[in-house]
Amino acid sequence: ASFRRAGPSMAASGNGTTPSLDVRLTRSQSGNILDIDFIGGLSEVAGSSAPAAAAAAPATTTAIATVAPSCSSTAVVISGRKLRILEHRVHKVEMRTRENGESEEELVVSNLRPFTLKVGVHDSADVPIVDCSLPLRATLLYENGSAVKQTSLSEPLLVGETDVVALQGAATFKLRITSLSSHRDKQRFRIQVAPQEESLTRTEPLLSVVTDPMKSVTKLGRAMPPPPLPSPGGDAAAEGVKRRCRETLDAHAQSIAQLQETHVQIAAELEAVASLAQRAVRAKAEPTSVAAPV
């Protein structure tokens, strides 16, 4: 919004005339001064009038507003917009040990299932900008920020909804990483979200955000079930469970003892049978003696 306001008269040192000077102020919807233009009479002021004109212009003349080309509204938007991660849903969270021995959480995703990433467009005061539409794009990076190179032509590195327009200040991506960390020297991945127009990223560098590192695997593995919660009156129930466990263990011990006794008996019988068989073999091998006649 802009309006014109007559400025103060300034005396020229050369011809003594008093030119009329109009000032055009450009204000935002919140009332901040964005731009100041001097219209008419400026060329007639010379000599000592230059310092007076400079004094009449407030310091806010350097605050030039930029109009975002991707905004659907015609309102002037002050530079300073930024992206913020509102939600990052992964498939699993594990604990890993760092090189210094400290433990930290590690985000894990499967290359067979999509995950969700939601980002918001905020202003310099971290307030969501709901009256602006901004085309965004998600790309795949390594944990160190370098780009991931395509090694095969079969499938892109990042599939799903990679191009999304932020409407009413937010955009939701459903993505799937096709590459595995085990195939990339065990490196983890990040997702970078930035405007689709590279020129806008250069003029507003805060319109770029990256996620925490994620490990990409095929099988997530089964998580250990949580221990059962104690029920009301759990002491008596626990004692009953322990008693039944002791009875079961005692019955198993008796069965094992009986099996061991049976094994000993079978071994003894087998040894006796073997001894009889050896005797029979020796008896057949010995010649039969014939008694001499009297």
Side-chain angles (χ1 to χ4, degrees):
S2 63
F3 63 93
R4 300 179 63 182
R5 184 177 64 184
S9 299
M10 298 189 302
S13 60
N15 52 13
T17 59
T18 304
S20 176
L21 182 62
D22 292 337
V23 180
R24 182 189 297 271
L25 299 181
T26 303
R27 294 180 178 270
S28 64
Q29 293 181 349
S30 59
N32 296 326
I33 298 177
L34 302 179
D35 195 5
I36 299 178
D37 292 332
F38 298 96
I39 302 174
L42 188 60
S43 59
E44 301 178 1
V45 181
S48 62
S49 62
T60 55
T61 55
T62 58
I64 305 300
T66 59
V67 179
S70 58
C71 291
S72 60
S73 64
T74 59
V76 177
V77 180
I78 303 177
S79 61
R81 296 181 301 170
K82 59 184 177 181
L83 292 182
R84 178 177 294 276
I85 297 179
L86 304 179
E87 185 178 301
H88 184 197
R89 291 187 179 182
V90 297
H91 302 145
K92 189 178 180 182
V93 179
E94 297 178 341
M95 298 301 299
R96 67 186 291 264
T97 303
R98 305 174 61 181
E99 295 180 356
N100 57 4
E102 298 180 356
S103 298
E104 67 174 358
E105 292 183 347
E106 183 176 47
L107 307 182
V108 183
V109 295
S110 172
N111 69 332
L112 304 178
R113 295 166 49 188
F115 60 92
T116 303
L117 175 63
K118 184 178 181 180
V119 299
V121 184
H122 291 205
D123 59 12
S124 57
D126 207 14
V127 177
I129 304 176
V130 297
D131 60 345
C132 182
S133 63
L134 182 65
L136 300 174
R137 176 169 296 162
T139 55
L140 187 65
L141 303 177
Y142 284 120
E143 182 177 359
N144 58 9
S146 59
V148 183
K149 296 182 179 180
Q150 184 81 33
T151 57
S152 63
L153 301 177
S154 59
E155 193 174 18
L157 296 171
L158 189 65
V159 297
E161 301 174 358
T162 57
D163 289 352
V164 178
V165 177
L167 298 176
Q168 296 182 351
T172 301
F173 296 83
K174 291 185 178 180
L175 307 169
R176 181 169 65 89
I177 301 175
T178 61
S179 183
L180 297 174
S181 296
S182 59
H183 295 171
R184 301 281 180 165
D185 296 332
K186 297 183 180 180
Q187 296 188 76
R188 298 186 294 179
F189 302 102
R190 297 178 187 265
I191 301 297
Q192 181 187 40
V193 179
Q196 298 181 16
E197 297 184 12
E198 297 182 359
S199 59
L200 187 58
T201 305
R202 289 191 294 267
T203 56
E204 297 184 70
L206 294 180
L207 286 179
S208 178
V209 68
V210 294
T211 64
D212 292 332
M214 299 172 288
K215 181 175 69 174
S216 176
V217 299
T218 300
K219 295 183 179 180
L220 296 171
R222 296 182 178 179
M224 295 297 294
L229 298 176
S231 57
D235 294 339
E239 290 297 330
V241 172
K242 292 180 180 179
R243 183 176 63 255
R244 289 193 294 272
C245 290
R246 285 195 297 267
E247 293 175 353
T248 302
L249 292 175
D250 293 340
H252 288 172
Q254 294 178 1
S255 299
I256 292 173
Q258 293 176 359
L259 291 175
Q260 290 177 347
E261 293 177 359
T262 303
H263 175 72
V264 172
Q265 293 177 359
I266 293 174
E269 293 177 357
L270 290 175
E271 186 177 357
V273 170
S275 178
L276 292 176
Q278 291 177 357
R279 290 178 184 177
V281 171
R282 287 197 299 268
K284 290 182 179 181
E286 294 178 356
T288 303
S289 61
V290 180
V294 179

